[in-house]
Amino acid sequence: MEDNTMPDVPSTEAAAEVPTDDQPFAGFPREELLAFVRGVANIVAADGKVAEEERVMLYGLVHQTGLSILDEDVKAAIEAELAGPSPIEKVIKPVTNPLLRRALYQTCVEVAVADGHLADEERLKLVEIAGVFGLNSDAARDFIQWTLDSIAIEQRGREIITKL
Protein backbone atom coordinates (compact mmCIF):
# COMPACT_ATOMS: atom_id res chain seq x y z
CA MET A 1 0.00 0.00 0.00
CA GLU A 2 1.46 3.33 -1.06
CA ASP A 3 1.38 6.37 1.25
CA ASN A 4 0.59 9.47 -0.83
CA THR A 5 0.45 11.93 2.07
CA MET A 6 2.94 14.75 2.29
CA PRO A 7 4.19 14.96 5.89
CA ASP A 8 5.59 18.49 5.64
CA VAL A 9 2.37 20.05 4.38
CA PRO A 10 -0.08 20.95 7.15
CA SER A 11 -3.63 19.83 6.67
CA THR A 12 -6.29 22.36 5.82
CA GLU A 13 -7.83 21.81 9.23
CA ALA A 14 -4.57 22.53 11.07
CA ALA A 15 -3.93 25.63 8.99
CA ALA A 16 -7.35 27.01 9.90
CA GLU A 17 -6.52 26.82 13.60
CA VAL A 18 -3.63 29.27 13.43
CA PRO A 19 -4.48 32.92 12.64
CA THR A 20 -2.32 34.51 9.95
CA ASP A 21 -2.02 38.08 8.69
CA ASP A 22 -4.40 37.38 5.81
CA GLN A 23 -6.80 35.42 8.07
CA PRO A 24 -6.54 37.11 11.48
CA PHE A 25 -9.78 35.55 12.75
CA ALA A 26 -9.10 31.94 11.77
CA GLY A 27 -9.57 29.40 14.52
CA PHE A 28 -11.77 31.48 16.82
CA PRO A 29 -15.16 30.04 17.80
CA ARG A 30 -18.14 31.32 15.82
CA GLU A 31 -19.87 32.48 19.02
CA GLU A 32 -16.91 34.75 19.86
CA LEU A 33 -16.71 36.09 16.30
CA LEU A 34 -20.41 36.88 16.31
CA ALA A 35 -20.01 38.71 19.64
CA PHE A 36 -17.00 40.53 18.12
CA VAL A 37 -18.99 41.92 15.18
CA ARG A 38 -21.96 42.68 17.44
CA GLY A 39 -19.62 44.67 19.69
CA VAL A 40 -18.37 46.70 16.75
CA ALA A 41 -21.95 47.27 15.54
CA ASN A 42 -22.81 48.43 19.06
CA ILE A 43 -20.05 51.05 18.92
CA VAL A 44 -21.06 52.12 15.40
CA ALA A 45 -24.57 52.84 16.69
CA ALA A 46 -23.52 54.33 20.04
CA ASP A 47 -23.83 57.94 18.85
CA GLY A 48 -27.32 57.33 17.49
CA LYS A 49 -26.29 57.68 13.82
CA VAL A 50 -25.25 54.96 11.40
CA ALA A 51 -23.69 56.34 8.24
CA GLU A 52 -23.67 54.24 5.08
CA GLU A 53 -19.85 54.20 5.20
CA GLU A 54 -20.01 52.70 8.70
CA ARG A 55 -22.41 50.01 7.53
CA VAL A 56 -20.13 49.15 4.58
CA MET A 57 -17.11 49.00 6.91
CA LEU A 58 -19.03 46.78 9.32
CA TYR A 59 -20.08 44.39 6.56
CA GLY A 60 -16.44 44.23 5.43
CA LEU A 61 -15.42 43.32 8.97
CA VAL A 62 -18.06 40.58 9.04
CA HIS A 63 -16.51 39.16 5.88
CA GLN A 64 -12.99 39.38 7.39
CA THR A 65 -14.07 37.32 10.37
CA GLY A 66 -15.26 34.56 8.08
CA LEU A 67 -18.91 35.15 8.97
CA SER A 68 -21.50 36.06 6.36
CA ILE A 69 -24.01 38.89 6.48
CA LEU A 70 -26.24 36.53 4.50
CA ASP A 71 -26.54 34.23 7.54
CA GLU A 72 -29.79 35.11 9.26
CA ASP A 73 -28.34 35.06 12.80
CA VAL A 74 -25.44 37.31 11.80
CA LYS A 75 -27.65 39.79 9.97
CA ALA A 76 -30.25 39.82 12.76
CA ALA A 77 -27.63 40.37 15.47
CA ILE A 78 -25.95 43.24 13.63
CA GLU A 79 -29.17 44.93 12.57
CA ALA A 80 -30.50 44.71 16.15
CA GLU A 81 -27.39 46.48 17.48
CA LEU A 82 -27.53 49.14 14.76
CA ALA A 83 -31.22 49.78 15.48
CA GLY A 84 -30.74 50.06 19.25
CA PRO A 85 -27.48 49.13 20.94
CA SER A 86 -27.73 46.66 23.82
CA PRO A 87 -25.72 47.09 27.01
CA ILE A 88 -22.15 46.57 25.79
CA GLU A 89 -21.24 44.20 28.63
CA LYS A 90 -23.96 41.78 27.52
CA VAL A 91 -22.83 41.96 23.88
CA ILE A 92 -19.11 41.33 24.43
CA LYS A 93 -19.35 38.80 27.28
CA PRO A 94 -18.89 35.78 24.94
CA VAL A 95 -15.50 37.13 23.78
CA THR A 96 -13.13 35.31 26.12
CA ASN A 97 -9.95 34.89 24.10
CA PRO A 98 -7.39 37.55 25.20
CA LEU A 99 -6.16 38.14 21.63
CA LEU A 100 -9.69 38.59 20.34
CA ARG A 101 -10.51 40.89 23.26
CA ARG A 102 -7.58 43.19 22.44
CA ALA A 103 -8.49 43.10 18.74
CA LEU A 104 -12.10 43.99 19.60
CA TYR A 105 -11.02 46.90 21.79
CA GLN A 106 -8.67 48.18 19.08
CA THR A 107 -11.35 47.86 16.40
CA CYS A 108 -13.94 49.60 18.58
CA VAL A 109 -11.58 52.50 19.25
CA GLU A 110 -10.76 52.85 15.56
CA VAL A 111 -14.45 52.77 14.61
CA ALA A 112 -15.42 55.22 17.36
CA VAL A 113 -12.83 57.83 16.35
CA ALA A 114 -12.88 57.28 12.58
CA ASP A 115 -14.58 60.64 12.11
CA GLY A 116 -11.88 62.37 14.19
CA HIS A 117 -14.26 62.88 17.11
CA LEU A 118 -15.13 60.73 20.10
CA ALA A 119 -18.74 61.16 21.25
CA ASP A 120 -19.42 60.86 24.97
CA GLU A 121 -21.50 57.71 24.38
CA GLU A 122 -18.62 56.13 22.48
CA ARG A 123 -16.08 57.06 25.17
CA LEU A 124 -18.27 55.57 27.91
CA LYS A 125 -18.64 52.32 25.99
CA LEU A 126 -14.89 52.10 25.36
CA VAL A 127 -14.19 52.60 29.07
CA GLU A 128 -16.75 49.91 29.86
CA ILE A 129 -15.21 47.48 27.33
CA ALA A 130 -11.76 48.00 28.86
CA GLY A 131 -13.22 47.33 32.32
CA VAL A 132 -15.16 44.22 31.29
CA PHE A 133 -12.08 42.79 29.60
CA GLY A 134 -9.78 43.72 32.50
CA LEU A 135 -7.53 45.76 30.23
CA ASN A 136 -4.97 48.18 31.61
CA SER A 137 -7.06 51.36 31.92
CA ASP A 138 -4.09 53.70 31.41
CA ALA A 139 -3.06 51.85 28.25
CA ALA A 140 -6.67 51.83 27.05
CA ARG A 141 -6.91 55.62 27.51
CA ASP A 142 -3.51 56.09 25.87
CA PHE A 143 -4.60 54.04 22.87
CA ILE A 144 -7.69 56.20 22.41
CA GLN A 145 -5.60 59.37 22.53
CA TRP A 146 -2.93 57.91 20.24
CA THR A 147 -5.60 56.99 17.71
CA LEU A 148 -7.12 60.49 17.83
CA ASP A 149 -3.65 62.04 17.50
CA SER A 150 -2.86 59.78 14.54
CA ILE A 151 -6.01 60.87 12.74
CA ALA A 152 -5.20 64.54 13.41
CA ILE A 153 -1.66 64.05 12.06
CA GLU A 154 -3.00 62.37 8.90
CA GLN A 155 -5.51 65.20 8.38
CA ARG A 156 -2.77 67.80 8.89
CA GLY A 157 -0.58 65.97 6.38
CA ARG A 158 -3.37 66.07 3.79
CA GLU A 159 -3.83 69.80 4.42
CA ILE A 160 -0.13 70.47 3.93
CA ILE A 161 0.01 68.37 0.75
CA THR A 162 -2.87 70.34 -0.77
CA LYS A 163 -0.88 73.54 -0.21
CA LEU A 164 2.19 72.25 -2.09
Side-chain angles (χ1 to χ4, degrees):
M1 186 164 155
E2 190 175 310
D3 183 7
N4 290 329
T5 61
M6 302 179 87
D8 295 329
V9 178
S11 72
T12 309
E13 291 172 19
E17 294 174 10
V18 180
T20 60
D21 287 343
D22 61 332
Q23 293 182 330
F25 296 99
F28 292 109
R30 189 175 194 282
E31 178 186 3
E32 287 193 58
L33 294 175
L34 185 56
F36 184 100
V37 296
R38 277 188 70 203
V40 176
N42 188 287
I43 291 294
V44 165
D47 61 1
K49 310 173 270 196
V50 180
E52 188 59 30
E53 298 84 21
E54 291 174 314
R55 189 177 292 276
V56 168
M57 180 275 317
L58 184 57
Y59 288 177
L61 178 64
V62 169
H63 179 75
Q64 273 187 304
T65 65
L67 299 175
S68 173
I69 197 66
L70 300 176
D71 289 347
E72 281 303 314
D73 63 333
V74 174
K75 185 172 184 156
I78 288 173
E79 293 303 324
E81 291 303 322
L82 294 178
S86 305
I88 192 69
E89 181 178 0
K90 177 183 170 196
V91 173
I92 64 172
K93 188 176 182 178
V95 181
T96 59
N97 183 288
L99 292 174
L100 201 56
R101 283 180 165 194
R102 285 193 296 274
L104 176 55
Y105 185 77
Q106 178 180 352
T107 303
C108 286
V109 168
E110 291 168 353
V111 166
V113 303
D115 60 359
H117 172 72
L118 185 60
D120 290 340
E121 302 88 356
E122 294 166 331
R123 184 179 300 276
L124 289 172
K125 286 191 182 247
L126 293 173
V127 167
E128 190 172 354
I129 292 169
V132 168
F133 286 168
L135 303 177
N136 176 314
S137 60
D138 290 337
R141 257 190 316 276
D142 287 348
F143 184 71
I144 292 170
Q145 190 58 55
W146 176 84
T147 306
L148 284 166
D149 293 345
S150 297
I151 291 169
I153 289 169
E154 285 180 30
Q155 288 172 341
R156 178 72 177 127
R158 284 191 297 274
E159 292 169 5
I160 292 169
I161 292 296
T162 61
K163 293 178 183 179
L164 289 177

